[in-house]
Amino acid sequence: MASSTPASAPPYPSAARISDSPCFPQYTASLKCLEKFSSDKSKCQEHFDVYKECKKKEREARLERNKTRSFFS
């Protein structure tokens, strides 16, 4: 009947969540901007660019970390 996994636990513990990202403040700033300007994306482009740059750096750092890891360790 009920699953053995608690409802609050994600189905995959290693699944990434945006709230765990170092770019979360930029993400929320983008959303707040969209709310403020009634979804007028043109007025929020600077926020999008900052978030995009943050995600790019986060991805590069993750790839660099993964380079040093062994697949078999």
Side-chain angles (χ1 to χ4, degrees), residues 21-68:
S21 170
C23 300
F24 186 65
Q26 294 86 343
Y27 171 77
T28 55
S30 297
L31 293 180
K32 286 179 183 178
C33 182
L34 287 172
E35 286 177 7
K36 180 178 179 182
F37 293 108
S38 302
S39 298
D40 184 352
K41 294 179 183 178
S42 65
K43 294 185 178 176
C44 301
Q45 190 60 50
E46 184 178 340
H47 290 283
F48 299 149
D49 293 342
V50 169
Y51 176 62
K52 184 177 178 179
E53 187 63 28
C54 181
K55 290 300 286 183
K56 181 180 174 183
K57 288 179 182 176
E58 181 183 38
R59 180 179 182 273
E60 289 170 354
R62 184 179 67 248
L63 290 174
E64 193 62 35
R65 278 193 314 270
N66 289 345
K67 262 194 222 179
T68 61

